[in-house]
Amino acid sequence: MQSSEVTCETCTLTPPVPFPTHPSAMFSEAVHTLVDVGNQAILRVGLLQAERVPDHAYQYGYGRAAFFYSLIAALSTFGFGSLYTLYEGIHVLLSPPEALVTSYWTSAVLGFSFLVDGFVLTKAWQDASLRARSSGLTTTKVCFGRQ
C-alpha cells in the first residue's frame, strides 16, 4: 500500500468530524490532511515532469522540475499551516471558549491520524533504507546528508 493511498483514506475520514464536534484540533487535522494530499499530488507532478526525456527546448532534461515542485509543496505547507494558525489564534483571542469539550470521535480520529502518520513515516524510512543499501550508503547519510 502506498503512503499516498493511506493519506487519501485519512483525508476522507477527517474532514466530516469537526462539524458536529467543533474542536479546533479536528479542523486543524482536517486542513493538515488536505494539505498533505495536495502536496503529494504536487510532488507527483514534479516527479512525472522530471522523468521526461530531453528535447530541443531542454537539452539537459527536466530533472530540475522535481526541485521546483518540491519548493511549491513546501511553501504550500508553510503557507496553509501558518494562515490557519493565525486565523485560529485571532479567533480564540476574540472569543475564548467557555469550556474545553472533547468527544470520543475527536480522540478516535486524532488517534487514527497518528497511526497513519506513523505508518507513512515508517514506510518512508524503509524506502530510504532500501535506496541507501542499494547505493552503498547509510540511511542517515541518505536522509540527512551526514554519517
Side-chain angles (χ1 to χ4, degrees):
M1 181 176 278
Q2 295 282 344
S3 61
S4 58
E5 294 170 356
V6 175
T7 306
C8 286
E9 290 173 6
T10 307
C11 185
T12 59
L13 175 69
T14 311
V17 176
F19 299 111
T21 60
H22 298 291
S24 61
M26 280 309 306
F27 189 68
S28 176
E29 182 61 28
V31 169
H32 169 256
T33 305
L34 290 171
V35 169
D36 275 351
V37 170
N39 283 341
Q40 289 181 2
I42 290 170
L43 292 172
R44 181 71 179 146
V45 168
L47 290 175
L48 291 174
Q49 289 282 325
E51 290 176 356
R52 292 173 52 191
V53 297
D55 58 14
H56 189 281
Y58 293 94
Q59 297 173 358
Y60 295 112
Y62 293 86
R64 290 186 178 182
F67 296 113
F68 172 75
Y69 285 100
S70 296
L71 174 67
I72 298 300
L75 290 175
S76 69
T77 300
F78 179 74
F80 285 117
S82 61
L83 286 176
Y84 178 71
T85 302
L86 181 67
Y87 162 77
E88 189 62 33
I90 291 171
H91 177 72
V92 169
L93 285 175
L94 293 178
S95 58
E98 295 176 13
L100 180 63
V101 178
T102 305
S103 72
Y104 292 111
W105 281 106
T106 302
S107 300
V109 170
L110 287 176
F112 178 73
S113 297
F114 181 75
L115 290 174
V116 167
D117 286 342
F119 169 78
V120 170
L121 177 63
T122 303
K123 179 78 170 126
W125 188 263
Q126 289 171 350
D127 290 346
S129 297
L130 184 64
R131 288 183 183 171
R133 271 187 251 125
S134 68
S135 301
L137 300 171
T138 65
T139 307
T140 309
K141 178 77 172 173
V142 170
C143 292
F144 303 114
R146 57 180 184 261
Q147 295 286 347

